[in-house]
Amino acid sequence: MDDRRLFVSGAVVQGTDHLAAGVGCQDALKSARCEGGEGVVLAVADGAGSRDRSALGAHLAVDIACRALARDLPGGDTDGTVWTEWISGRAKEVVDTWLRAALALPAAADYNKGADSAHVPRDAGEFAATLAAAVVRPPWAAFLCVGNCFGTVLTIDGDSTRERCHLVLPPPDERHSSVFLSSPGARMRVRSFALWDPDLTGVMVATDGCVPLTLDHPDVHGLPPAAGPLPSARFFVGLATALRDNGGDAEPLRALLSSPEAGRSGDDLTMLCALTGRGAHTRRR
């Protein structure tokens, strides 16, 4: 496997609670190559469990994000301000485009016999979904997020073989209110940023169903609760190694998301990874 070329692996697994209740999977994922082939886009979305058509909203979100982030990508040697402004503009574009598309879809009432669609009020909340997307062009990675999805990056220590994981896009504290693409003010509440690291070896984005499986409580590392959740090196570094050893095939990821430990969350679990061939078992060439 080429140490420098990115490969993408992903998996979505229906939550045990959804399966038991006869509710379909409401997560979605999609990846795309950037124009010119010099980067990849990752997008995952999670439909709101209380909305019957949120799965459609999630699929709409990942499609729009991939289309928006795959074009006119800044160069690898571009100034950081350019990357920051670019992803900020793309983030707002994604929210605006999703809202227009959702409002253009037929409402559920339109399918009822005798319904007069001209008098059915449009409500994008019918398609409510969260979204996290990243565009990866080493040494750059740029993220956008609406809601409680999250993202991590992997780096390697210079010429060593030690890979580290970093929770760069933590899930927000939403105990008082949840944010969806359909929420009022979503355009102003979308998070976006860009990061540069010459030793970037991977980027992973995931829906919130993966939190119990992949993020450690601070107590595990002897830290106070205020430190917030921390990425599990055992999970992320171990997964990256397994995917590289497996030639990029997603079966190791699918197995982890289908494990009894993962099933305890009850929620759908979705993760998408972009990795270089260089990792914990290889040195810089």
Side-chain angles (χ1 to χ4, degrees):
M1 182 180 293
D2 188 336
D3 283 0
R4 295 160 295 181
R5 182 172 174 80
L6 291 167
F7 70 90
V8 175
S9 296
V12 55
V13 173
Q14 185 178 14
T16 53
D17 286 356
H18 288 187
L19 186 62
V23 176
C25 180
Q26 295 167 317
D27 280 7
L29 81 170
K30 185 174 182 178
S31 63
R33 285 280 171 188
C34 296
E35 292 178 350
E38 295 186 0
V40 297
V41 181
L42 310 175
V44 298
D46 181 2
S50 60
R51 301 302 177 102
D52 290 340
R53 306 181 74 203
S54 63
L56 179 55
H59 283 277
L60 188 65
V62 296
D63 183 71
I64 289 171
C66 283
R67 291 175 184 273
L69 297 184
R71 72 176 199 277
D72 300 329
L73 192 66
D77 57 353
T78 305
D79 181 80
T81 302
V82 174
W83 272 90
T84 300
E85 292 178 350
W86 178 83
I87 190 62
S88 176
R90 286 293 189 267
K92 292 178 172 58
E93 176 187 330
V94 167
V95 175
D96 291 345
T97 304
W98 183 92
L99 184 59
R100 287 196 304 270
L103 290 174
L105 290 170
D110 293 347
Y111 296 105
N112 296 332
K113 186 177 180 179
D116 183 355
S117 61
H119 295 89
V120 175
R122 292 291 187 256
D123 176 14
E126 188 176 356
F127 308 99
T130 62
L131 169 70
V135 58
V136 189
R137 184 181 186 179
W140 288 97
F143 295 80
L144 68 86
C145 184
V146 177
N148 56 11
C149 297
F150 65 98
T152 61
V153 300
L154 298 176
T155 60
I156 200 162
D157 289 344
D159 293 326
S160 77
T161 60
R162 184 179 181 183
E163 204 164 17
R164 298 178 182 271
C165 56
H166 315 270
L167 182 63
V168 296
L169 181 64
D173 183 352
E174 294 189 330
R175 287 175 292 182
H176 303 297
S177 64
S178 298
V179 180
F180 299 98
L181 286 160
S182 57
S183 299
R187 192 177 194 272
M188 303 305 298
R189 301 171 75 179
V190 59
R191 295 179 284 164
S192 67
F193 63 92
L195 63 85
W196 178 91
D197 194 312
D199 296 314
L200 182 70
T201 56
V203 172
M204 303 175 179
V205 290
T207 57
D208 70 317
C210 297
V211 166
L213 181 68
T214 63
L215 302 184
D216 292 336
H217 190 278
D219 285 350
V220 174
H221 302 275
L223 297 172
L230 298 169
S232 168
R234 177 179 60 85
F235 179 90
F236 288 108
V237 176
L239 171 61
T241 300
L243 290 173
R244 293 185 180 109
D245 290 347
N246 208 37
D249 188 278
E251 185 54 36
L253 173 57
R254 190 174 297 107
L256 285 169
L257 299 187
S258 304
S259 66
E261 182 181 359
R264 286 197 288 270
S265 79
D267 199 3
D268 300 328
L269 299 96
T270 300
M271 182 173 289
L272 199 51
C273 316
L275 301 167
T276 65
R278 183 168 63 97
H281 297 321
T282 58
R283 292 183 181 274
R284 186 193 302 273
R285 292 180 179 179

